[in-house]
Amino acid sequence: MSVEFDRKIHDTLADANLQLAVYTATGRLKDKRIQVTAAGVLPDYQELRTQANAIKKHVIDNLDHYLEEFERNVESHGGKVVYCKDATDVSDFVLDLAKRRGSRLIVKSKSMTTEEVDLNERLAHHGLESVETDLGEYILQLAHERPYHIVAPALHKTRYDVADLFTKELGVARETVPEKLTLIARGVLREKFLKADIGISGANFLIADSGAVAIIENEGNVRLTTSAPKIHIAVAGIEKVIPRAQDLAVFLKLLARSATGQLVSVYTSFLAGPRRAGEVDGPEEFYVVLLDNGRTKLLPDRSKRESLYCIRCGACLNACPVYRKIGGHSFPWVYSGPIGAIITPQFMGVSHEPGLPFASSLCGACGEVCPVKIDIPKILLELRGDVRKSEAREGLNRIEKLAFRIFAWVMTHPRIYEMAGRMAASIAPTGDGKWIRSVPAPMSVGPLKAWLSERDMPPLPPKSFREMWRNR
Amino acid sequence: MGKRVSLFVTCMVDQLFPKVGMAMADVLERLGYRVDFPEEQTCCGQPAYNSGYHAEARIVARHFLKTFEASEAIVVPSGSCTAMVTHHFKDLFTKEPETLALVHAMEKKVHEFATFLTDVAGVEDVGARMDDVVTFHDGCHALRELGIQSAPRRLLARVKGLELREMVPSEECCGFGGTFAVKFAELSGAMARTKIDAIVGTGANTVVSLDPSCLMQIQGALSRAGLHVRTMHLAEVLASR
């Protein structure tokens, strides 16, 4: 584990206000999800999960086919599909288009994919203003922070935090009523929508058979982003493609429920190409940027590639007892929580943060709530193995490796195992049968020290089970 | 003479909580089983597997398979160690078809203690008595990998004098997680304290679980916080009379 990861975890755990904010907000989302997926409300919930998993499996197994079909159908509507290998490809495309069209201002709706490629920073570096229009994302852009949560990006900010931020950054009178804060943001953003040259959105689904992009949202800012400016660019990972429009009957039932506990989101938009003759609104140009950025690296591994089934609902974050303690910013990349813990090592390489797959008690709550049934705990276990292989290649972590080799040897030699256990019992403090708070300094090292830093330890019994069994 | 069962007490019960193993044997014998203890047994290999040392886990898993090959039914006082054998051994041996066949035969023979009583022995009332208010902690692997939820509650409901009060939430992890507890000690401790808040909220005197590892984490944190709530394995409750 890197020092930075360790420090971020420590700092988050030590911040009582943050602990309360994150635990409360995730708890609310978690409870709402449970309510709207209950058998009485959605009797076919488990069946829908099975179907969603089957559709995603089929798509990822046949990704090339569906991407080509999607591309053909987008182009038949007069849109254009742009394949991008990485972050530079995406920003180069946007910058080049902006230059050719003389664009200065960009409005953006919420998109984890653009966060993944640092699009705002890259555009700003070249003098383009890019404004986030989702309220949570707008707050974070003002605060110069990354999203804390896949679905609720400003989940960690209280209304008082936002009040202070708006006063400082926008020069407005301090206002702590959420509705009034929203109106302040709305006032700023309306101006931006009217003046913007380009709108950049994400995409929840790329529908192959209709060449359309489906986006769900609650604030209406996606509709404005994708229709007010003359140019609309949708940026999506290649794994977002689904075969048919009718597959949405499965996914739309699962996505809003899993994400926010809504039965359906406020807006569901289907965008298929630019404005056509006779239409009164819509952009003049329509582009879909399909991003790889490491995704194709997952395809050869039949087991781990199910990580690409993710529909970014964030349910695993709200269910995760680890995320609820360490929050989103402790994670080493833009994707946090259990899904972040499995895709970060696969997109960025296991040595990006070798501690990440281990930051889990393997409780399985993530897998239980995943609407597309990604076996997250199993993938974490596989990634732990990958970390060890990578360490072995680089000659790292040799002492732990040796410890586990000794462990395997002892556990296959029952007589040695018994002797080792009794030796430990003979030197350990007995605590007079009570639980033990501390051990003498020379013993307080490694795992024992770590255990005792938070908890008492059990006194070692005078006889092991096998001794008691023999003597009975 | 009754049917034979073998105990796999787990390394943790063998070394740290032998009374749990003795209680389990008592209950099984009371139900008429002939109980044996294969002396070669050690560990299921989960610590190595969960730490990413798959080769070492395979070595220990093979030892387990050999030790219990002749047993007809194996009863385990741990959901987590049961799940290691019934749900994870197969992932360790995907490239060894011969061992995989042994694993699949073993999966059918290995039973977590509470579900062995309810599903195999077909018993809910084991004739236990304990005058106490208890709360039940669902171990994550028992709950989510083995799907055990009602069996321990049905068994507790038949213990005379016992009142069960559910904690909210009962299904949230205690923060143990094997080596996670020491690799991420501060985080693990924070998770344990959240669990303890839920326990204390019930007003119960005793926390019961199917997993000695969860109980070690919970008791360790309770003791550190100076709280006088005790922990008991289900087997110890059912052995009380």
Side-chain angles (χ1 to χ4, degrees):
Chain A
M1 179 179 12
S2 72
V3 176
E4 198 190 353
F5 190 37
D6 195 35
R7 182 184 54 75
K8 284 178 176 171
I9 291 172
H10 170 79
D11 290 350
T12 311
L13 289 171
D15 186 335
N17 290 336
L18 185 58
Q19 284 289 303
L20 185 65
V22 174
Y23 203 77
T24 312
T26 49
R28 202 176 300 135
L29 289 165
K30 179 182 174 211
D31 291 344
K32 280 163 76 181
R33 189 203 68 83
I34 292 169
Q35 285 163 21
V36 296
T37 55
V41 184
L42 187 65
D44 54 352
Y45 172 56
Q46 294 302 340
E47 179 63 23
L48 286 165
R49 291 177 73 215
T50 305
Q51 286 181 22
N53 175 277
I55 297 167
K56 281 289 185 178
K57 179 176 190 309
H58 175 76
V59 170
I60 298 302
D61 289 354
N62 300 280
L63 196 54
D64 50 345
H65 170 82
Y66 287 110
L67 286 173
E68 282 171 23
E69 185 185 350
F70 175 74
E71 179 183 3
R72 272 197 311 278
N73 287 326
V74 167
E75 296 195 343
S76 74
H77 301 315
K80 193 162 173 18
V81 169
V82 184
Y83 288 93
C84 289
K85 176 170 94 270
D86 56 20
T88 314
D89 268 10
V90 179
S91 57
D92 282 356
F93 165 72
V94 177
L95 287 166
D96 179 59
L97 186 68
K99 195 173 168 189
R100 282 189 283 126
R101 301 292 186 268
S103 312
R104 310 284 315 158
L105 177 63
I106 295 171
V107 282
K108 266 195 78 256
S109 60
K110 185 173 160 24
S111 152
M112 286 305 297
T113 314
T114 57
E115 291 290 339
E116 180 188 324
V117 293
D118 300 318
L119 188 59
N120 286 344
E121 292 75 5
R122 285 166 180 269
L123 297 178
H125 187 70
H126 289 87
L128 278 175
E129 185 186 358
S130 170
V131 183
E132 293 290 345
T133 64
D134 172 272
L135 181 59
E137 291 284 355
Y138 178 63
I139 291 166
L140 292 193
Q141 192 174 30
L142 289 181
H144 305 285
E145 289 181 28
R146 282 183 181 281
Y148 205 79
H149 185 285
I150 290 173
V151 171
L155 169 132
H156 61 306
K157 294 245 182 268
T158 65
R159 61 166 115 164
Y160 306 104
D161 295 334
V162 178
D164 293 343
L165 185 69
F166 280 13
T167 309
K168 179 167 163 260
E169 295 294 326
L170 302 174
V172 293
R174 193 167 189 275
E175 195 57 75
T176 57
V177 179
E179 288 79 3
K180 292 192 174 166
L181 287 165
T182 307
L183 281 175
I184 294 170
R186 183 187 169 103
V188 175
L189 294 173
R190 281 288 147 137
E191 284 299 307
K192 301 290 183 188
F193 281 125
L194 293 172
K195 288 183 189 154
D197 307 295
I198 298 178
I200 298 180
S201 73
N204 292 104
F205 303 98
L206 309 168
I207 310 161
D209 74 354
S210 33
V213 169
I215 309 178
I216 74 166
E217 56 148 341
N218 287 322
E219 297 175 16
N221 65 310
V222 170
R223 292 231 160 146
L224 283 165
T225 301
T226 58
S227 60
K230 285 183 175 173
I231 300 169
H232 170 211
I233 304 169
V235 182
I238 49 172
E239 82 283 10
K240 288 287 172 71
V241 69
I242 57 171
R244 305 163 303 176
Q246 70 193 70
D247 297 325
L248 288 170
V250 173
F251 290 111
L252 292 182
K253 273 189 196 149
L254 290 170
L255 181 49
R257 279 182 166 86
S258 302
T260 51
Q262 292 167 286
L263 298 179
V264 67
S265 54
V266 177
Y267 298 95
T268 304
S269 301
F270 300 92
L271 307 158
R275 181 192 307 190
R276 266 159 266 182
E279 291 181 343
V280 293
D281 58 7
E284 289 167 16
E285 297 176 57
F286 176 81
Y287 301 91
V288 183
V289 170
L290 293 180
L291 179 68
D292 178 356
N293 207 33
R295 286 163 175 78
T296 47
K297 280 192 291 190
L298 276 66
L299 293 175
D301 188 318
R302 282 188 176 278
S303 161
K304 291 206 286 287
R305 75 180 173 206
E306 73 178 46
S307 313
L308 295 175
Y309 300 178
C310 177
I311 56 173
R312 305 284 188 263
C313 71
C316 61
L317 280 64
N318 307 325
C320 177
V322 168
Y323 176 87
R324 298 181 72 193
K325 290 288 177 203
I326 72 174
H329 285 169
S330 295
F331 285 81
W333 200 35
V334 288
Y335 297 106
S336 55
I339 187 66
I342 62 166
I343 61 179
T344 302
Q346 297 187 79
F347 284 26
M348 311 291 276
V350 288
S351 29
H352 179 70
E353 174 48 74
L356 186 55
F358 296 90
S360 163
S361 64
L362 299 171
C363 81
C366 48
E368 187 178 54
V369 301
C370 178
V372 292
K373 285 188 162 182
I374 301 171
D375 194 345
I376 298 174
K378 188 177 171 190
I379 295 172
L380 282 172
L381 283 165
E382 290 180 25
L383 288 166
R384 289 180 181 192
D386 292 351
V387 170
R388 298 307 177 214
K389 280 181 209 149
S390 145
E391 285 172 348
R393 278 195 299 274
E394 291 167 35
L396 299 169
N397 212 2
R398 284 182 182 165
I399 292 172
E400 192 182 272
K401 169 83 180 162
L402 179 65
F404 275 99
R405 286 179 68 179
I406 295 170
F407 163 84
W409 184 75
V410 170
M411 290 305 178
T412 44
H413 294 80
R415 252 50 71 194
I416 307 282
Y417 155 85
E418 181 171 2
M419 211 168 70
R422 288 308 89 195
M423 272 171 63
S426 69
I427 56 165
T430 61
D432 293 326
K434 291 201 178 61
W435 284 57
I436 296 154
R437 189 148 297 190
S438 62
V439 293
M443 284 167 73
S444 185
V445 289
L448 190 55
K449 182 182 176 189
W451 180 271
L452 288 168
S453 69
E454 295 287 328
R455 296 137 295 211
D456 293 351
M457 64 173 266
L460 268 63
K463 284 192 168 66
S464 67
F465 176 83
R466 63 190 64 219
E467 286 173 284
M468 288 173 79
W469 186 260
R470 278 181 213 130
N471 300 338
R472 78 178 201 148
Chain B
M1 288 297 275
K3 283 188 169 178
R4 292 195 73 84
V5 291
S6 300
L7 304 179
F8 171 53
V9 296
T10 77
C11 54
M12 187 174 270
V13 164
D14 186 26
Q15 295 298 323
L16 295 175
F17 307 106
K19 283 185 196 160
V20 172
M22 295 307 282
M24 180 167 77
D26 271 5
V27 174
L28 291 168
E29 284 177 347
R30 207 189 293 165
L31 295 173
Y33 286 95
R34 283 189 296 145
V35 178
D36 63 50
F37 175 79
E39 279 256 352
E40 297 296 300
Q41 66 180 270
T42 54
C43 171
C44 62
Q46 187 174 192
Y49 183 53
N50 285 3
S51 302
Y53 296 99
H54 297 184
E56 285 74 15
R58 259 189 289 280
I59 294 169
V60 181
R62 273 196 205 93
H63 178 79
F64 180 97
L65 292 170
K66 200 169 115 213
T67 303
F68 288 98
E69 197 172 8
S71 298
E72 291 162 30
I74 300 127
V75 188
V76 190
S78 160
S80 189
C81 306
T82 305
M84 178 65 195
V85 179
T86 58
H87 285 61
H88 297 289
F89 270 19
K90 65 175 174 3
D91 297 328
L92 283 172
F93 297 107
T94 46
K95 289 174 190 157
E96 293 179 37
E98 281 174 28
T99 319
L100 204 54
L102 295 176
V103 168
H104 289 317
M106 187 60 75
E107 285 167 359
K108 296 186 190 77
K109 301 197 293 184
V110 174
H111 305 274
E112 182 283 322
F113 172 65
T115 40
F116 178 82
L117 295 182
T118 56
D119 300 356
V120 182
V123 181
E124 287 182 5
D125 187 348
V126 299
R129 169 168 204 104
M130 193 171 94
D131 294 303
D132 200 2
V133 179
V134 309
T135 186
F136 184 77
H137 164 69
D138 286 292
C140 294
H141 296 166
L143 179 69
R144 300 198 182 84
E145 292 186 333
L146 304 179
I148 299 173
Q149 197 162 23
S150 77
R153 290 174 170 85
R154 282 184 279 145
L155 289 158
L156 287 172
R158 298 300 190 95
V159 175
K160 291 175 192 63
L162 183 143
E163 182 194 336
L164 174 66
R165 288 189 198 158
E166 294 286 353
M167 65 178 104
V168 182
S170 66
E171 79 289 349
E172 191 158 304
C173 182
C174 66
F176 177 69
T179 48
F180 171 79
V182 290
K183 280 184 199 285
F184 292 85
E186 194 182 357
L187 168 57
S188 168
M191 289 162 73
R193 285 188 288 279
T194 298
K195 188 81 222 179
I196 283 172
D197 288 343
I199 291 166
V200 170
T202 64
N205 304 310
T206 306
V207 191
V208 181
S209 181
L210 305 176
D211 278 89
S213 52
C214 303
L215 292 173
M216 181 168 76
Q217 165 88 346
I218 292 169
Q219 185 74 73
L222 282 166
S223 172
R224 178 62 56 96
L227 293 164
H228 297 285
V229 179
R230 63 175 177 168
T231 55
M232 278 176 99
H233 190 277
L234 179 75
E236 295 175 285
V237 177
L238 298 184
S240 307
R241 6 190 31 171

